[in-house]
Amino acid sequence: MASESFSRRARIIAAAAGIGLGLSVTATILTYRWEISRQQSQFQQQIENLTTALQRSLNRYTSVLLFLGDYYTVNQGQIERQDFDEFAARSLVDYPGIQALEWAPLVKLSDRTAYEQSIQAQGHSAFQITELGSNNNLVRARDRPFYVPVTYIAPFIGNEDAFGFDINSSPARVAAIEPARDSGEIQATGRIRLVQEKRNQYGFLMLLPRYQTSTLPDSLAARRSQFDGVLIGVFRLSDVVEEALQGLSFDIDFELYDQAAKAEESYLGSYDAAAGSVVVISDRRTAPPAEQTHLCPGPTSCSRTLTLGQRQWQGIFSPAADYGLSPPYATWAMLFTGLSLTGSLVWILFNLQRESDRKLRFFSMASHELRTPLSTISLSAESLQVNQTELSARQKQRIIDRIYQTAQQMGQQIADLLTLTRAEAGKLEFNPELLETSAFCQQVIETVQTGIDQPIQFTGSAHPVKAFWDKKLMRSLLGNLLSNSAKYSPISSPIQITLTSDSHRATLAVSDRGIGIPATDIDRIQQVFQRGSNVGEVTGTGLGLAIVSICVALHRGVWTINSKEGQGTTVSVTLPLE
């Protein structure tokens, strides 16, 4: 019989340990997944912020070119060089990412000489229409049916080499001139080496076509025959990106690729977050395969598209080497809490397995009482797992808070069990210290109030009272009295605490308007594991008042219970001040 009883108790301990470990591991895994999801959401939001900043900057540059086009329209295309410079100067101050604004008219071969002479007469005696020679040096342009030479350029200083350059001589530029002319819309070039570029970096142009009429010709043939030239925005990629990202300090690197270009010509440049600048990686030709990490779980999850003058750029983002990933504190806290609770429960059950049948009844009640917070943790963790993509960050945090609060409640239950066990073994420590009684009671009330619905009303002593109390034991005493009052009282019924004192003693009275205690039960319920006969379906272990009795005895005090069934209960505890 003893062997059978021991086996049964061992199975209870093993089951409790298994359930506790299983729930701890499950909650830890779900918390880890939530933290990963949070980090991923944060990284994705930072990518969105970078992309928005870049696109907004590109849109602003497009608007500048459109404003310049409107200026030409208002003046019917009759713009002198000084007028162009003055208009461009205002835009260049507001938009430092622009390398230059230019006007390049259409010049037929038959008009070339007269065109060059007119520019020379303006004080540029060496002016001629140029193109790139075999050594990438500027040479006099060869004869061709027409030219589109850069005639107005602002600012001129720093861009002198582009003056007179025939953009119709460059295949990369022609590839943008023709669709711009035919559509009447702004067209961006692919990557190019600017004529005036001295560094190892790429640039690009945005071209706005102009026609001999003030309105866009209706037909394709008319647009081609009335094409008069292009307004040009000249950009260095580094200037555009670095100016757009001023004020943003995300440790995120990215690379830009032109999706409209040939694969071997699609690479535009790489942004180094640590240096805050764009560099060109000489051996980069095509976009690398997406590196999948927990921040970028899919091949396109860290890729974004930018639109620029009928072209699309692809940005591929990745965390920089010093990207700050916060340690998984919540995961480790959840694991530690779960294992601590499980270990404490197993230890308690192990020490109680040799007790009498009275203690066996405790196993049933404790299991039932502890199962509720464990179920809450389990259900909350399951909700976090199943709905993590639909839940907002605030909802997820609320679930984590619920798990944490439930774990605290479970921890208090286990603390009470430990207090009882140590008291029965004669090893419960008593460490009084001087406390300001009203302030101490209010601290305990604030802690308890967050976990119950009934309002707690406190009335303190008329003057400050200090007493030598064991803070830990008194917190348990008052917490259990408040918990009992809340458990057996209507939600709308307030709980009242009154603190009075004289020169030698202080009295705490906790009153409620709950179900009360039958007169025949008052003496019995002060014993461990005993509960009132009228509690019905309200769960409990029968430990609360036993803990109160132990705490009162250690403080050399007395306590009384005044209760009437159906009308409420008042528990009064009187303790010496010293």
Side-chain angles (χ1 to χ4, degrees):
M1 186 69 177
S3 176
E4 180 181 349
S5 177
F6 177 81
S7 177
R8 183 172 66 253
R9 295 165 186 166
R11 288 196 299 270
I12 292 174
I13 294 175
I19 292 172
L21 287 174
L23 289 174
S24 297
V25 171
T26 300
T28 299
I29 291 173
L30 294 177
T31 304
Y32 173 76
R33 290 179 179 175
W34 174 80
E35 285 201 306
I36 293 300
S37 175
R38 179 181 59 80
Q39 291 178 354
Q40 185 183 109
S41 297
Q42 175 181 311
F43 185 71
Q44 293 295 319
Q45 184 59 55
Q46 291 172 341
I47 289 178
E48 291 296 337
N49 292 343
L50 291 172
T51 304
T52 299
L54 289 169
Q55 186 64 68
R56 185 184 296 119
S57 183
L58 295 176
N59 293 343
R60 290 165 58 211
Y61 298 144
T62 301
S63 297
V64 169
L65 206 56
L66 291 172
F67 292 153
L68 185 57
D70 292 340
Y71 182 58
Y72 261 75
T73 299
V74 169
N75 290 276
Q76 299 179 345
Q78 303 302 313
I79 304 297
E80 299 297 329
R81 187 182 303 278
Q82 183 177 352
D83 297 330
F84 182 91
D85 290 345
E86 290 177 355
F87 182 91
R90 293 193 294 270
S91 299
L92 293 171
V93 170
D94 294 332
Y95 302 97
I98 302 175
Q99 170 66 21
L101 292 174
E102 301 173 346
W103 161 242
L106 177 71
V107 177
K108 297 179 180 179
L109 176 61
S110 58
D111 298 329
R112 174 177 180 169
T113 300
Y115 165 78
E116 291 179 334
Q117 289 176 349
S118 68
I119 301 299
Q120 292 167 4
Q122 296 174 14
H124 303 282
S125 58
F127 178 83
Q128 61 179 342
I129 299 176
T130 59
E131 64 182 26
L132 288 176
S134 57
N135 296 323
N136 283 329
N137 57 325
L138 291 170
V139 299
R140 180 175 176 79
R142 293 167 293 176
D143 289 347
R144 58 176 62 90
F146 67 88
Y147 308 91
V148 186
V150 175
T151 303
Y152 294 169
I153 181 169
F156 187 79
I157 297 175
N159 295 294
E160 300 92 334
D161 290 343
F163 187 41
F165 177 72
D166 177 22
I167 63 174
N168 193 47
S169 66
S170 164
R173 294 166 174 80
V174 171
I177 294 174
E178 294 179 350
R181 175 198 64 195
D182 293 348
S183 67
E185 297 179 348
I186 290 179
Q187 180 72 39
T189 67
R191 72 182 193 188
I192 59 174
R193 295 284 184 178
L194 299 178
V195 175
Q196 61 268 47
E197 184 57 69
K198 307 301 182 183
R199 293 170 49 193
N200 178 30
Q201 66 171 318
Y202 294 117
F204 64 93
L205 308 179
M206 285 200 290
L207 310 178
L208 175 64
R210 297 292 308 163
Y211 302 92
Q212 296 168 4
T213 58
S214 59
T215 59
L216 177 67
D218 295 334
S219 66
L220 176 62
R223 287 193 285 272
R224 289 180 175 178
S225 64
Q226 297 179 32
F227 178 60
D228 196 38
V230 289
L231 291 168
I232 307 170
V234 183
F235 304 91
R236 288 186 173 95
L237 187 72
S238 60
D239 295 339
V240 170
V241 173
E242 292 164 17
E243 189 268 337
L245 301 187
Q246 284 184 358
L248 295 177
S249 58
F250 302 135
D251 294 322
I252 298 177
D253 298 334
F254 60 87
E255 296 181 346
L256 292 174
Y257 295 86
D258 184 354
Q259 294 182 302
K262 298 178 182 178
E264 63 274 14
E265 297 177 356
S266 63
Y267 173 67
L268 299 173
S270 302
Y271 179 74
D272 184 339
S277 62
V278 174
V279 297
V280 172
I281 302 175
S282 58
D283 60 351
R284 181 76 80 221
R285 294 292 180 268
T286 58
E291 181 181 355
Q292 296 188 17
T293 65
H294 76 278
L295 296 178
C296 301
T300 61
S301 57
C302 290
S303 173
R304 297 293 185 274
T305 299
L306 300 167
T307 301
L308 172 69
Q310 318 308 314
R311 301 178 82 90
Q312 288 188 329
W313 289 356
Q314 178 189 27
I316 299 178
F317 298 82
S318 60
D322 53 353
Y323 183 81
L325 287 176
S326 58
Y329 293 123
T331 299
W332 291 116
M334 181 61 67
L335 179 61
F336 176 78
T337 300
L339 293 180
S340 296
L341 293 175
T342 300
S344 298
L345 179 60
V346 169
W347 184 84
I348 293 168
L349 293 176
F350 176 78
N351 282 276
L352 292 174
Q353 72 172 345
R354 293 169 295 182
E355 297 294 335
S356 64
D357 291 340
R358 183 169 64 94
K359 298 293 178 68
L360 287 177
R361 291 198 305 272
F362 161 76
F363 292 147
S364 177
M365 288 186 290
S367 176
H368 186 275
E369 187 73 4
L370 295 175
R371 188 182 298 116
T372 299
L374 285 174
S375 297
T376 299
I377 293 173
S378 179
L379 291 173
S380 299
E382 182 178 356
S383 175
L384 191 63
Q385 179 184 31
V386 173
N387 303 304
Q388 60 178 318
T389 56
E390 289 81 19
L391 294 174
S392 65
R394 186 173 183 179
Q395 290 171 322
K396 292 176 181 178
Q397 188 59 51
R398 191 180 299 122
I399 293 175
I400 292 295
D401 290 341
R402 186 189 307 140
I403 292 175
Y404 179 74
Q405 290 174 0
T406 304
Q408 282 188 315
Q409 294 172 4
M410 190 174 179
Q412 182 58 49
Q413 292 171 343
I414 291 176
D416 287 343
L417 294 173
L418 291 173
T419 298
L420 179 63
T421 303
R422 289 170 180 161
E424 291 184 345
K427 296 182 179 180
L428 184 60
E429 296 180 353
F430 179 64
N431 300 307
E433 59 183 283
L434 189 62
L435 301 176
E436 206 290 299
T437 55
S438 290
F440 172 78
C441 291
Q442 289 173 341
Q443 290 175 0
V444 177
I445 290 170
E446 289 175 0
T447 302
V448 174
Q449 184 69 82
T450 61
I452 65 174
D453 297 315
Q454 296 91 339
I456 302 175
Q457 300 172 351
F458 175 70
T459 302
S461 180
H463 56 277
V465 177
K466 294 186 178 182
F468 280 92
W469 290 349
D470 185 305
K471 183 185 295 185
K472 184 176 180 181
L473 293 178
M474 287 301 297
R475 185 177 287 113
S476 182
L477 180 150
L478 186 53
N480 272 290
L481 291 179
L482 292 172
S483 177
N484 277 351
S485 292
K487 187 181 296 184
Y488 301 112
S489 298
I491 292 178
S492 60
S493 176
I495 300 170
Q496 295 181 336
I497 301 180
T498 303
L499 174 64
T500 59
S501 66
D502 56 24
S503 58
H504 302 290
R505 301 175 184 82
T507 299
L508 271 173
V510 179
S511 302
D512 62 64
R513 300 172 187 173
I515 64 175
I517 305 171
T520 55
D521 293 341
I522 289 181
D523 292 334
R524 180 176 58 84
I525 64 171
Q526 299 180 32
Q527 302 174 16
V528 69
F529 309 128
Q530 299 300 317
R531 305 180 68 207
S533 57
N534 62 335
V535 296
E537 298 297 324
V538 180
T539 60
T541 59
L543 296 178
L545 294 181
I547 296 297
V548 171
S549 180
I550 292 171
C551 294
V552 171
L554 286 173
H555 282 85
R556 296 177 290 107
V558 294
W559 65 301
T560 60
I561 301 175
N562 294 310
S563 181
K564 189 171 183 179
E565 190 172 3
Q567 296 185 16
T569 301
T570 297
V571 178
S572 299
V573 177
T574 301
L575 304 176
L577 299 180
E578 297 181 353

